[in-house]
Amino acid sequence: MKPPPFAYHRPVSLDEALALLARYGSDGRILAGGQSLVPALNMRLAAPAALIDINRLPGLDAIRLAPEGLVIGALARHADVEASPLVLHHARPIALAMPHVGHRAIRTRGTIGGSAALADPAAELPACLLALDARIRVAGPGSQREIPANRFFQGIYTTDLGHGEMVTAVVVPPGQDSWTSRFVELARRHGDYALVGLAAHGHVENGIAREMRLAFCGVGTTPVRATRAEAKLRGCALGPGVRAEAVGALEADLDPPGDVHASSALRRHLARVLLGRVLASMA
Ligand SMILES: Cc1cc2nc3c(=O)[nH]c(=O)nc-3n(C[C@H](O)[C@H](O)[C@H](O)COP(=O)(O)OP(=O)(O)OC[C@H]3O[C@@H](n4cnc5c(N)ncnc54)[C@H](O)[C@@H]3O)c2cc1C
């Protein structure tokens, strides 16, 4: 199938893009990497009156260190994020997750801002943003704000983005460089969305978990922090007993939906398996 007709705009400045968003309201859609939007158009699951192509916005793809942390521009392609030494050093869960995101061709075009804005609950990067306590920087008519990842993702394909707002960057707070990170997932085939995935990011010192963040994807309508399991680990040596307690706590943390890909019980089981493996590898 072909997409329904739409107007096409290619702004060359952020102000111009925001003016177009304001002009079209909910009838306008931003086009970034197009890896999710274009198939949706072709299948006529989306029929916006206008596409606002942000690929020519200058500097929106930059990855840079700033006083407030690592700033990854919304238009940074997955492949560039994957290859970035800055990301590896300052936002390791993202670097570890990237090889799981689709295939290389998709990562060559897909963007971190697009992945955040799409808010697919099975996607890897939103879970990483949660594990990193990252903030989503958005620009709107005459203003800019930052939304913590745990408030940004609100439901299936639903975010806190307001009318006329767009994602301009994600910001990873500093001070996590020496933390231990893992990203693991179980998918039917490599490159598929995860049945269940886990971004684990913790400050482990001499075997003691000073801080631990466990963010799952594929287990709810948003990425989910397993806060009870985290609490079992905080301040403890990662021995077998503590690890088993944390895995047990997932029962209360997660209430995954069942669907055609996996039942709720299977997703719960996979989450326990992943957490057990990750904690054993961190001990
Ligand atoms: C075959 C295939 C397999 C894939 N597998 C995976 C996978 O395993 N894991 C995974 O996470 N992803 C996967 N993807 C999706 C891929 O990661 C996309 O990059 C991502 O979903 C969207 O990024 P994009 O830049 O392509 O956004 P687009 O497709 O351009 O846009 C997606 C949505 O976000 C909006 N949007 C884009 N940028 C912004 C912005 N800056 N501000 C506000 N709104 C914005 C658009 O309007 C649109 O609604 C797969 C895609 C394909 C085609």
Side-chain angles (χ1 to χ4, degrees):
M1 277 168 73
K2 296 285 175 219
F6 51 79
Y8 174 76
H9 298 274
R10 196 164 60 190
V12 290
S13 72
L14 184 60
D15 284 347
E16 192 187 346
L18 293 174
L20 285 162
L21 273 178
R23 175 170 144 203
Y24 283 103
S26 56
D27 284 336
R29 278 290 189 89
I30 288 185
L31 174 67
Q35 296 304 293
S36 299
L37 181 56
V38 171
L41 293 175
N42 286 344
M43 289 186 275
R44 302 207 170 198
L45 298 171
L51 291 190
I52 301 161
D53 180 345
I54 60 170
N55 284 274
R56 296 279 170 98
L57 295 200
L60 206 64
D61 60 350
I63 302 172
R64 63 188 173 84
L65 266 184
E68 66 270 29
L70 181 70
V71 180
I72 308 176
L75 209 53
R77 311 281 170 195
H78 298 330
D80 295 330
V81 173
E82 186 178 357
S84 163
L86 285 177
V87 173
L88 184 63
H89 197 62
H90 300 282
R92 187 176 287 264
I94 295 178
L96 298 177
M98 267 315 177
H100 297 279
V101 176
H103 304 281
R104 179 151 290 281
I106 290 148
R107 298 200 293 276
T108 302
R109 290 299 300 168
T111 67
I112 196 160
S115 190
L118 184 68
D120 187 321
E124 291 84 357
L125 299 181
C128 295
L129 297 178
L130 219 56
L132 285 158
D133 249 354
R135 302 185 301 276
I136 318 301
R137 186 175 284 174
V138 311
S143 68
Q144 181 173 292
R145 64 184 179 123
E146 285 186 2
I147 309 162
N150 63 358
R151 278 207 286 110
F152 183 79
F153 300 107
Q154 299 204 333
I156 301 179
Y157 303 124
T158 307
T159 69
D160 189 45
L161 272 179
H163 281 302
E165 285 186 325
M166 62 175 273
V167 177
T168 54
V170 303
V171 182
V172 176
Q176 309 181 50
D177 314 359
S178 61
W179 286 29
T180 303
S181 313
R182 301 282 185 275
F183 186 91
V184 288
E185 75 173 38
L186 291 162
R188 285 194 184 278
R189 294 168 305 187
H190 182 81
D192 280 5
Y193 279 95
L195 291 176
V196 178
L198 168 61
H201 188 51
H203 183 204
V204 182
E205 217 176 25
N206 302 324
I208 311 280
R210 302 280 172 217
E211 177 66 49
M212 185 61 72
R213 301 192 198 128
L214 304 170
F216 283 89
C217 58
V219 296
T221 57
T222 61
V224 177
R225 278 277 291 273
T227 52
R228 292 177 187 81
E230 292 173 2
K232 296 280 182 199
L233 299 167
R234 201 166 294 123
C236 297
L238 294 176
V242 167
R243 299 197 315 252
E245 275 190 44
V247 169
L250 287 185
E251 195 60 27
D253 275 326
L254 306 181
D255 184 17
D259 60 25
V260 66
H261 303 293
S263 66
S264 174
L266 177 58
R267 285 184 203 274
R268 268 184 203 281
H269 172 71
L270 296 180
R272 286 197 298 267
V273 169
L274 289 180
L275 181 58
R277 284 182 190 167
V278 157
L279 293 179
S281 77
M282 282 179 165

